[in-house]
Amino acid sequence: MDGRRCVAAASPWLCGTGSGLQANSPASYPEPVTVKRLVARDLSFDGIRAEFALPAEFGADAQRDAAQAVDRHHAERVDRTDLGLVTIDPPGSRDLDQALHLERTANGYVVHYAIADVSAQIEPGSALDAEARRRGETIYLPDGSVPLHPLVFSEGSASLLPNEIRPAALWRIETDNDANPVSWSVERALVKSVRQLTYGEAQDAADAGNPHPAIAVLPEFGRKRRDLGLARGAIELNLPEQEVVRGSAGDWELAIEARTETDGWNAQISLLTGICAARIMLDGGIGMLRTLPPADGDVRRWMRRTAEALGVPWMKDTPIGAQLAALDPGATTTLAMMTQATTLLRGASYLVFDGARPDDQAAQHAGIAAPYAHATAPLRRLGDRFVTEICLALSAGNAVPQWAREGLADVRSSLLSSNTLANKVEQACVDLAEATILAPQKGQTFDSAVLRGAEKKRAAEVFVTDPPILARCEGDPPEGRRAKLALREADPDTRSVLFGFPADGS
């Protein structure tokens, strides 16, 4: 997920309602689809903005810096406007961080990945720099974002908009035929995107056998990168997005949007770049990694226990990621297993190092099964600006600028705080929409898939299929099965929703 929309991981797969299923019976579900339901005409997120003290406007000095931003490294750039790059983003996006050109060669593939060169356009120590360090990242709400940078910069002069020549940090990654990287570098360049695609447009073109030439081999390359990740032990949860969006008539809607294959293929390019960035920084002895500790034994045992309870084959010596990838995406048991697997990916942080290479275990991102760095979204995430600057210097054999070296610790602190805040805001928006849509339906019965049963003081987790909502449930509904539930609480003021089992209250 690129974080451009107000979303929350509602469930690993979107489930259809099904018409011929009996309550409490095992169930299969059709292919993921988009489901939308009216929430309200007057839904307001102003209270959430106030509750979390989200900043409204940028100061005059930061606005001036953004409007007057210039490329301090223009003289040293190579001209690569010949590449014919394309961007792939959600509909309506204007803060375009990345542009891609991918080609097959006699020995493998060459990836050219242009990243907006934000650090070249923000003066260290300026008001714009200070404001971005305070904000940490762009925070998205359904009625508008709280951006990391003023829009004149992030959606204007610094964005890789189509048919505009822009300064970029241009990655060149060569791989073998299996998509293993064999060489990588990054340099300052001038680039031009020739087309802005949405995920849907890119997917439709691929399905029709008429992809844009810049990404014609993206499907095969993305699949190979995914297979390499699974072989390493990476864990991929194909979670659809739960969104609160404004409909064409101005009504608010709650939607579950299944990911396209293009989402995954495109994500593999960013992951590959982040892996290469980590290697550059580890070899150079300075940088900031995105880290995730391995799941502890209790979590792994719980995964095996859940599989046994659901009748899902579970092999002790097979990596968890490979086992999850092999599950039937249409089965309720897979829904329960994928949801449980989110516990494997807790504890993400950032590791700053300078002067000594961290040990291999500390440098690992367990979900990716490799050292990894956030490096591809500098318009929307503060740390990527610093990581990119470090990689540019090390790749060129130059000293890392002092501002980038000295700022790492503070940047890490800012990112940890903003990550927490963004997650809370995102969830609050979805919770408000859910409670609002359900408030008039208190006491009614809903069909659901039970993702996790109740345990000790923890309520069960259920996925209600219509409207698409992940919620808590009192009682002891049967894990991994369908169940009829009663809506017992839906309060927009507290943003809380609670179901009960059995539906008749007996």
Side-chain angles (χ1 to χ4, degrees):
M1 174 184 349
D2 66 7
R4 298 232 175 124
R5 295 168 285 187
C6 182
V7 298
S11 66
W13 304 99
L14 174 61
C15 302
T17 55
S19 59
L21 298 171
Q22 301 297 316
N24 304 336
S25 67
S28 293
Y29 290 85
E31 288 298 308
V33 295
T34 299
V35 176
K36 294 185 178 180
R37 292 293 182 269
L38 175 67
V39 175
R41 291 185 181 275
D42 58 352
L43 187 60
S44 173
F45 301 93
D46 291 344
I48 292 173
R49 281 184 163 82
E51 177 182 340
F52 292 100
L54 300 182
E57 301 294 334
F58 288 85
D61 289 343
Q63 289 275 18
R64 181 202 63 231
D65 291 346
Q68 299 177 359
V70 296
D71 178 13
R72 302 192 315 277
H73 296 276
H74 179 78
E76 64 194 69
R77 294 191 186 276
V78 297
D79 187 342
R80 293 310 316 269
T81 54
D82 61 302
L83 275 174
L85 301 150
V86 301
T87 60
I88 310 175
D89 295 278
S93 297
R94 296 279 299 172
D95 50 345
L96 310 184
D97 295 286
Q98 313 123 5
L100 171 64
H101 185 278
L102 177 63
E103 62 182 307
R104 190 189 296 108
T105 68
N107 300 316
Y109 302 87
V110 174
V111 178
H112 282 102
Y113 206 36
I115 307 301
D117 194 353
V118 174
S119 66
Q121 302 172 77
I122 294 182
E123 188 72 37
S126 66
L128 179 57
D129 179 33
E131 184 67 28
R133 293 191 192 211
R134 282 192 294 271
R135 295 187 177 218
E137 65 184 272
T138 297
I139 296 177
Y140 293 87
L141 295 90
D143 60 352
S145 67
V146 181
L148 177 62
H149 307 103
L151 299 187
V152 68
F153 182 80
S154 61
E155 296 188 359
S157 61
S159 178
L160 303 183
L161 296 168
N163 301 313
E164 298 286 348
I165 296 175
R166 291 288 191 254
L170 181 63
W171 287 86
R172 186 180 193 277
I173 303 172
E174 295 185 33
T175 79
D176 61 20
N177 282 312
D178 294 324
N180 290 294
V182 295
S183 68
W184 49 88
S185 62
V186 59
E187 65 179 347
R188 286 197 152 98
L190 291 174
V191 301
K192 182 171 73 171
S193 166
V194 298
R195 181 79 184 274
Q196 180 178 356
L197 297 170
T198 67
Y199 290 112
E201 289 170 342
Q203 186 67 54
D204 290 345
D207 292 343
N210 186 34
H212 192 281
I215 53 171
V217 295
L218 180 59
E220 67 183 66
F221 186 81
R223 292 186 183 107
K224 288 180 178 180
R225 286 300 305 170
R226 178 177 180 268
D227 289 345
L228 288 171
L230 293 175
R232 290 194 311 268
I235 298 172
E236 179 179 299
L237 304 182
N238 192 12
L239 298 166
E241 298 169 337
Q242 184 178 25
E243 304 179 81
V244 183
V245 297
R246 194 186 291 276
S248 58
D251 302 325
W252 290 103
E253 299 172 335
L254 186 66
I256 294 288
E257 186 73 33
R259 292 176 181 271
T260 66
E261 287 184 292
T262 299
D263 284 79
W265 302 331
N266 194 50
Q268 289 296 336
I269 303 296
S270 287
L271 290 173
L272 171 61
T273 306
I275 289 171
C276 292
R279 293 183 182 181
I280 288 175
M281 292 186 293
L282 287 169
D283 289 344
I286 178 174
M288 181 171 65
L289 305 180
R290 183 61 164 166
T291 60
L292 181 75
D296 61 29
D298 288 341
V299 172
R300 292 177 176 273
R301 283 191 294 273
W302 178 245
M303 286 294 300
R304 185 173 67 250
R305 173 182 159 187
T306 302
E308 292 170 351
L310 297 175
V312 174
W314 200 254
M315 294 158 284
K316 181 179 179 181
D317 298 326
T318 300
I320 288 178
Q323 296 197 69
L324 292 172
L327 297 178
D328 177 6
T332 307
T333 51
T334 298
L335 183 64
M337 289 298 296
M338 286 287 188
T339 301
Q340 181 67 321
T342 60
T343 59
L344 298 167
L345 304 179
R346 293 177 179 171
S349 187
Y350 292 93
L351 173 67
V352 169
F353 58 99
D354 188 354
R357 181 185 177 114
D359 65 69
D360 290 343
Q361 183 174 352
Q364 283 289 310
H365 189 294
I368 297 170
Y372 169 71
H374 278 158
T376 62
L379 289 174
R380 294 170 281 125
R381 195 168 47 212
L382 174 65
D384 299 45
R385 166 160 55 113
F386 287 75
V387 166
T388 296
E389 188 66 31
I390 291 169
C391 288
L392 282 165
L394 294 175
S395 188
N398 298 329
V400 173
Q402 201 63 24
W403 66 262
R405 172 171 254 125
E406 293 177 348
L408 285 177
D410 288 342
V411 168
R412 177 184 183 275
S413 178
S414 177
L415 287 170
L416 292 175
S417 296
S418 64
N419 286 174
T420 299
L421 177 61
N423 290 335
K424 289 180 178 179
V425 170
E426 179 180 288
Q427 191 60 57
C429 291
V430 174
D431 289 347
L432 175 60
E434 291 176 345
T436 301
I437 190 175
L438 287 172
Q441 303 178 62
K442 188 175 179 180
Q444 294 185 21
T445 299
F446 294 79
D447 189 34
S448 77
V450 182
L451 306 182
R452 298 181 188 172
E455 185 178 78
K456 296 181 180 179
K457 296 182 179 180
R458 189 193 70 190
E461 287 187 9
V462 295
F463 181 70
V464 175
T465 55
D466 188 8
I469 287 174
L470 181 69
R472 298 177 300 120
C473 179
E474 292 180 330
D476 191 18
E479 186 172 82
R481 302 174 78 87
R482 292 286 290 273
K484 296 290 186 181
L485 309 175
L487 178 60
R488 296 184 179 170
E489 178 183 325
D491 186 349
D493 290 335
T494 60
R495 302 193 295 265
S496 59
V497 171
L498 179 66
F499 289 87
F501 177 84
D504 59 10
S506 62

